[in-house]
Amino acid sequence: MVCTMAFLRALLSTARMIRYSPPLSAGLSADDAVLLDAPDERLSPALVAAALGDYEPAAKLLATTRDSADWENRDRHLGRLVTFARSRDGWLVDWLAAAPRDPDALLVKAELSVRRAWESPARAERLREVGPLITAAADADPRDPVPWRLALDHARGTHATHTAFESLWEQAVRRSAHHYGCHVAALRYLSAAWYGSHRECFDFAEQAAADALPDSLVQALPVRAAFALLLDTQAAGRTTSVLEERIDAAADLAIKLSAAYRPGDPWPAEVRNLLAYVLLARGRWAEALHQFNLIGLHATSFPWSSVSEDALGRFLDARDGARLQVASLTPLRDRAGHGRPRGHYA
């Protein structure tokens, strides 16, 4: 009888997937249309020009963010430009030759040097060597918090004490109290993988989110703490029962933040990708599928590259998994017997 019931449940689940998978795909972008880390309309011309050896659009883009004190976009554009420069840096070499004291060129140089140092087997030693480059970038424009985000990452890699890190943190938040990148750097330092614990991560993230401005990405810090915990416990084969309530509360807060932005908006795309991962890990399939709908074309390397060498493939597999799970759990008939699926995706 037990075997028969299990077989019946499997048949019903298969029938639901066959019936409801196609309608649930209607709001999702086609697989071949999804792009990984797609640049926005401001960054794209700078990357194209850099590929052709022309640094001027990148220089203008970063100068604009500095002049307008748009520190969040400055940090985001910097990250993408440096990712490109890791494989093709001729444009940066030319830029530094033409304007060796340009604050924006110095910032790109510092970030690129820090990333390369992180990849070295002698990480701490190499990071100490590039410390003066971070200082030069910070001195070039004392208002800019982004070099201090670099300094926080640098401190983590050089095994800085808590006291030294707190001093850098004070300098960072003095320049921008709600800068997302600086908060992420602090969260990493406090993580169980480095110099803190999962509880410290959650404490910091939850307090920062409570203090954040409306619709600020800092409100996504708790879901980053949740992701770190889930990744750690999955790798170690442990349970997360002690912090389950905090994980779900973090996801709920991130859902509220995501709802503040329009569908397909590239700005919260990384947060939505991260949120989808956490919701899947918690078995909240319908909510995860809704986030995939909101993500649209904008898959991001993080968090998928943390669990797979093929980040885009992992994103697409996760999206399909959410769709199939929702389909398999949708009743074949509603209570009135009309044969229509119920709930958000009816």
Side-chain angles (χ1 to χ4, degrees), residues 80-278:
R80 295 302 309 279
L81 289 167
V82 169
T83 296
F84 182 78
R86 288 171 71 181
S87 57
R88 300 179 67 177
D89 64 355
W91 59 278
L92 177 58
V93 172
D94 291 345
W95 185 4
L96 288 164
R101 296 184 179 179
D102 185 308
D104 307 310
L106 289 174
L107 183 60
V108 177
K109 179 181 179 181
E111 170 91 354
L112 179 60
S113 299
V114 167
R115 288 205 198 179
R116 286 174 171 169
W118 269 94
E119 296 169 357
S120 170
R123 175 192 296 162
E125 181 180 348
R126 288 286 309 281
L127 282 171
R128 291 188 185 96
E129 292 173 357
V130 304
L133 299 179
I134 301 174
T135 301
D139 290 344
D141 188 339
R143 303 171 305 145
D144 188 355
V146 181
W148 295 96
R149 190 267 300 160
L150 265 181
L152 293 171
D153 287 334
H154 179 267
R156 177 165 52 94
T158 54
H159 312 297
T161 64
H162 278 49
T163 300
F165 192 89
E166 287 172 7
S167 178
L168 295 172
W169 171 251
E170 181 183 354
Q171 293 294 329
V173 296
R174 182 180 298 173
R175 286 159 175 81
S176 181
H178 304 286
H179 187 263
Y180 180 60
C182 290
H183 279 78
V184 170
L187 194 70
R188 287 171 175 159
Y189 183 89
L190 291 171
S191 70
W194 289 93
Y195 308 111
S197 66
H198 291 302
R199 289 188 182 278
E200 287 178 290
C201 254
F202 271 104
D203 289 345
F204 172 80
E206 289 166 355
Q207 186 59 59
D211 295 339
L213 297 173
D215 304 338
S216 166
L217 295 188
V218 172
Q219 293 182 27
L221 285 182
V223 86
R224 290 188 75 106
F227 170 74
L229 173 61
L230 289 167
L231 205 62
D232 186 29
T233 54
Q234 288 166 0
R238 298 193 297 267
T239 64
T240 61
S241 57
V242 175
L243 296 175
E244 279 183 354
E245 289 185 4
R246 297 179 89 169
I247 294 173
D248 285 330
D252 292 340
L253 181 60
I255 288 171
K256 183 179 178 181
L257 175 64
S258 174
Y261 294 91
R262 62 178 174 80
D265 188 341
W267 179 253
E270 185 178 90
V271 167
R272 284 171 169 164
N273 276 254
L274 177 61
L275 173 57
Y277 180 99
V278 172

Side-chain angles (χ1 to χ4, degrees), residues 315-338:
F315 169 88
L316 295 174
D317 288 346
R319 193 177 68 163
D320 283 344
R323 177 175 54 83
L324 292 175
Q325 286 286 353
V326 172
S328 70
L329 295 172
T330 302
L332 286 174
R333 290 183 178 274
D334 63 19
R335 291 180 181 177
H338 296 303

